Amino acid sequence: MNTGSNEPSDVAVASQRAEADAVQEAQGLGSKAPEFIKARRALHLSWQVGVFVVGLAVVAAGIVMLPLPGPGWVVIFGGMAIWATEFVWAQLVLRWTKRKVTEAAQRALDPEVRRRNLTLTVIGLVIVAVLVGIYIWKFGVVMPWKIKDQ
């Protein structure tokens, strides 16, 4: 029906939004906040800010744990999971990461790749053993508790 306007009608806009929401829900994307929070704009914005701050703190702790003792990458991915409860971009990043980890695990289980990795490991261990043998042959083994005071 042509109403003489190039702008879509309210019904068309509402149906497009409903379709977009249905696609988003089918993909599992979007806010996981309770409905009573989503119903109020200010409360939902406060909720998003809180989720972002908590996720940022967890990701920052994970980054600190990378050089220090602790499960840095696990904590970083935990922070991303916290963000993914509220933000679509984090959900997409988390899905991409899960897909890449799964692909890497499948490649690692490939028999040809396992043989190659085993061969490279054996070659590396042989090289290290030869270097340690040369060092011991040249300098000998001196235990720290037998070093004479100079």
Side-chain angles (χ1 to χ4, degrees):
M1 178 169 135
N2 189 0
T3 59
S5 173
N6 289 334
E7 296 185 21
S9 67
D10 292 337
V11 174
V13 171
S15 67
Q16 288 173 354
R17 284 187 187 151
E19 288 174 10
D21 290 342
V23 168
Q24 206 173 38
E25 289 299 321
Q27 293 177 345
L29 298 176
S31 176
K32 306 284 190 280
E35 289 302 321
F36 74 92
I37 290 177
K38 285 193 237 181
R40 293 169 184 83
R41 177 98 174 114
L43 190 57
H44 191 232
L45 187 61
S46 301
W47 178 272
Q48 285 180 329
V49 168
V51 167
F52 183 79
V53 169
V54 170
L56 185 64
V58 173
V59 168
I63 290 171
V64 168
M65 287 184 202
L66 287 175
L68 299 176
W73 285 110
V74 173
V75 174
I76 289 172
F77 290 132
M80 287 297 298
I82 291 171
W83 279 339
T85 63
E86 197 57 36
F87 303 108
V88 173
W89 61 266
Q91 292 169 357
L92 296 174
V93 168
L94 209 54
R95 282 184 181 179
W96 179 84
T97 304
K98 286 178 184 178
R99 189 174 65 247
K100 290 298 179 182
V101 167
T102 303
E103 290 171 5
Q106 291 298 329
R107 279 195 313 266
L109 294 176
D110 181 25
E112 186 175 316
V113 174
R114 290 182 72 191
R115 270 193 301 275
R116 184 196 66 204
N117 290 346
L118 184 61
T119 303
L120 291 174
T121 302
V122 168
I123 290 170
L125 288 174
V126 167
I127 290 172
V128 168
V130 167
L131 291 175
V132 168
I134 291 171
Y135 180 86
I136 290 174
W137 173 69
K138 185 157 181 108
F139 299 108
V141 178
V142 178
M143 296 297 162
W145 52 86
K146 292 186 179 179
I147 295 177
K148 296 178 184 174
D149 295 332
Q150 295 180 5

